[in-house]
Amino acid sequence: MVPNFDVKGKVFVITGAAGILCSEMARELGELGARVAVLDLNEERAKEVAKEICDKGGDALGLKANVLDKDSLTAARDAVLEKFGTIDVLINGAGGNRPDASTSPDLSFFDMPPEALRFVFDLNLVGAILSSQVFGKVLTDKKEGNIINISSMSALRPLTNVLGYSAAKAAVSNFTAWLAGHFALNYSPNIRVNAIAPGFLLTEQNRFLLKDKETGEMTPRAKHIIGQTPMGRYGTPEELVGAIVFLASDAASFVTGTVLCIDGGFGNFAI
Ligand code: NAD
């Protein structure tokens, strides 16, 4: 049997889709013929990303949606259903960190404010759960579909300082396995739930941490990261898309509850 990686015509809902990684996914999925609902707290950017997809001949809709507000998610779901008629894949992309949920020379573990930890837990974990409730209902009603969460390397190997984010992403990996079992057992084995765990990617956002502004040389932090990565380089946002296509397509028809690392070997090998 030839594996079927086709995502053409499938309706993807992507939260946080105005961000660096998920806007890249949205654009590439649009080029592959998927229909894409670009959801983000930042409505203006969501609409811009949708327009870029449409300008290239794709089919996309940009909408404001706050993953921490069920009414906002429900309104977005209704708009997606009105435009596309169905939903096939939910990518829970909204997520991130906050400086005061990480230790630093100015903030010890003992002084970390609980509201910072709650913010990071809410954004990464509760946001993925609420979105899966609202959009997942469409999948359980039609008894098929896919959810893809975004975990992180720091769920697997907690990185120095980032306490809140590491714990929240570990919870996202756990939720992935939980929901995969829950949907398969109670609704349909044709609803799959998986996650990707990106490793270190070089993006505009972290370039200043990883490359010296003047010389372009790797910073000490960058040398340490690359030294721990068997493939000896960073990844790029585009390199996440192959895994998304795999997980969302029939090629992964027996894959559920898993976290797929896209990390050049960082997570599973100590150098
Ligand atoms: P980003 O900051 O570029 O994008 C995040 C997007 O989420 C932004 O557009 C923001 O407006 C949106 N957002 C924030 N709060 C929201 C809310 N309440 N509701 C809806 N949208 C909201 O981040 P990114 O680097 O593209 O990361 C995307 C995902 O990948 C996140 O879950 C992140 O934790 C994860 N991740 C990123 C990396 C990396 O190297 N960049 C590595 C591992 C995991």
Side-chain angles (χ1 to χ4, degrees):
M1 194 180 78
V2 177
N4 180 3
F5 289 91
D6 197 9
V7 291
K8 199 168 179 187
K10 282 186 194 284
V11 177
F12 282 71
V13 172
I14 311 178
T15 69
I20 295 182
L21 302 188
C22 292
S23 65
E24 185 60 35
M25 286 173 202
R27 281 187 285 266
E28 292 203 26
L29 288 165
E31 289 205 30
L32 289 169
R35 294 177 287 166
V36 189
V38 178
L39 272 50
D40 203 284
L41 199 54
N42 184 337
E43 184 175 16
E44 198 185 328
R45 273 296 296 145
K47 289 193 185 306
E48 278 168 19
V49 173
K51 184 172 180 305
E52 284 172 47
I53 296 169
C54 295
D55 286 349
K56 284 198 160 179
D59 198 359
L61 174 68
L63 290 170
K64 180 177 176 117
N66 179 356
V67 296
L68 297 177
D69 177 352
K70 251 181 133 171
D71 290 342
S72 159
L73 290 167
T74 304
R77 178 183 68 189
D78 293 347
V80 174
L81 290 175
E82 196 182 322
K83 161 99 175 156
F84 294 126
T86 191
I87 293 165
D88 299 302
V89 184
L90 166 68
I91 301 178
N92 283 315
N97 199 3
R98 197 168 110 162
D100 56 353
S102 302
T103 56
S104 70
D106 300 325
L107 181 65
S108 82
F109 165 71
F110 303 101
D111 296 325
M112 192 169 287
E115 63 273 16
L117 292 168
R118 283 195 196 101
F119 175 88
V120 175
F121 269 71
D122 279 353
L123 179 56
N124 291 282
L125 176 65
V126 179
I129 295 175
L130 296 184
S131 303
S132 300
Q133 288 177 328
V134 171
F135 294 100
K137 185 73 176 60
V138 179
L139 309 187
T140 57
D141 283 350
K142 67 178 201 173
K143 299 199 179 304
E144 64 176 359
N146 260 286
I147 296 180
I148 302 172
N149 294 320
I150 307 199
S151 184
S152 165
M153 265 315 100
S154 60
L156 214 69
R157 279 178 78 178
L159 304 176
T160 49
N161 305 326
V162 288
L163 166 62
Y165 186 74
S166 303
K169 289 300 193 185
V172 168
S173 295
N174 183 281
F175 167 60
T176 301
W178 184 87
L179 193 63
H182 184 73
F183 277 179
L185 290 169
N186 293 290
Y187 296 95
S188 164
N190 296 325
I191 305 170
R192 298 184 290 104
V193 184
N194 292 289
I196 60 167
F200 289 94
L201 308 177
L202 186 61
T203 64
E204 285 316 312
Q205 218 174 30
N206 63 15
R207 189 174 296 273
F208 75 100
L209 286 173
L210 303 176
K211 279 196 170 182
D212 186 279
K213 248 188 292 175
E214 263 132 52
T215 62
E217 297 277 299
M218 286 199 285
T219 61
R221 181 180 171 86
K223 282 187 188 143
H224 188 69
I225 291 167
I226 296 297
Q228 293 284 310
T229 304
M231 286 180 74
R233 66 172 178 89
Y234 300 111
T236 64
E238 302 85 70
E239 287 180 303
L240 303 181
V241 182
I244 295 287
V245 169
F246 166 64
L247 292 172
S249 69
D250 290 348
S253 54
F254 197 48
V255 181
T256 199
T258 196
V259 180
L260 182 50
C261 297
I262 307 163
D263 67 341
F266 177 91
N268 291 306
F269 196 87
I271 296 176

